[in-house]
Amino acid sequence: MPDVPTSIPAPVRPSTDLAADPTSGAAAPPSAAELLDFARRTAADAELVASLPLDPEGRSWLRLDGPGGSEAWLIGWPPGTGTGWHDHGGSHGAFVSAAGELTEQSLAARIPTEGWKTLELADGVDRERRLPAGRGRAFGPHHVHEVINPSATEHAVSVHAYYPPLPLMRRYSRTGQTLRLEQIERPEEWG
């Protein structure tokens, strides 16, 4: 998760009303498309985006209330910073650039979640997306990517939402076509 927590309490955001599951009477969990819609609407909230203190050295963040019990974050990215390769522990999600531009490097391949330490990636699995302010993407539970603020001078800000809330994140290193599992982080380690 982000590097530098802010001490400002997270704003309370109303959850999106989701259709009730007629068989159980409970609200259906938010889909990746609903998370993307939430992230777009939240990224368009100029007052909220401007309220995030930007740290010149590390990422900063505010935790938000996402729709239907999802986990959401407003994240500030200093120039040149990134996440490194990671997954979301089986959660699906979405993110949208709210200010500045982010670049996403991702793999167009389903990576097994257990039983390996090193994988040799096939040719042609790399994808790159430029995400200027207002653009984003949704992703499924097996998504592996890294997100980077490519600017040498400007901060970027983005909104991220995950369902179920992140149970863990797996961190990877990559050398050429070799992907290596380096670490498993749990929510209590994110501060």
Side-chain angles (χ1 to χ4, degrees):
M1 196 38 39
D3 303 317
V4 181
T6 179
S7 59
I8 294 176
V12 177
R13 307 293 265 158
S15 294
T16 303
D17 290 330
L18 299 174
D21 177 347
T23 60
S24 70
S31 67
E34 289 167 323
L35 295 176
L36 181 58
D37 180 61
F38 166 83
R40 282 188 177 129
R41 286 183 287 109
T42 304
D45 183 338
E47 185 177 339
L48 174 64
V49 171
S51 75
L52 180 67
L54 300 176
D55 185 298
E57 310 243 342
R59 288 182 293 158
S60 55
W61 73 88
L62 291 173
R63 186 159 184 172
L64 308 173
D65 290 334
S70 65
E71 175 176 4
W73 300 87
L74 179 67
I75 301 175
W77 305 75
T81 59
T83 60
W85 287 94
H86 67 282
D87 70 21
H88 304 97
S91 295
H92 63 272
F95 70 101
V96 172
S97 294
E101 179 175 297
L102 296 174
T103 299
E104 180 197 37
Q105 307 283 335
S106 64
L107 301 177
R110 186 174 173 155
I111 304 298
T113 57
E114 295 182 18
W116 66 278
K117 291 271 186 184
T118 303
L119 285 176
E120 192 68 26
L121 301 171
D123 291 336
V125 299
D126 290 296
R127 300 292 182 268
E128 181 175 303
R129 282 186 173 85
R130 286 183 47 244
L131 301 166
R135 297 242 358 243
R137 67 156 312 174
F139 53 84
H142 300 284
H143 191 63
V144 175
H145 70 167
E146 69 175 342
V147 180
I148 302 160
N149 175 0
S151 175
T153 59
E154 301 295 321
H155 269 78
V157 177
S158 56
V159 177
H160 303 247
Y162 310 99
Y163 189 88
L166 297 174
L168 58 88
M169 289 177 71
R170 293 178 196 88
R171 298 250 176 223
Y172 305 98
S173 63
R174 180 155 181 205
T175 305
Q177 293 300 100
T178 303
L179 189 69
R180 179 181 311 277
L181 176 63
E182 296 290 345
Q183 180 181 8
I184 297 175
E185 294 178 0
R186 306 233 178 253
E188 57 271 13
E189 298 172 58
W190 303 327

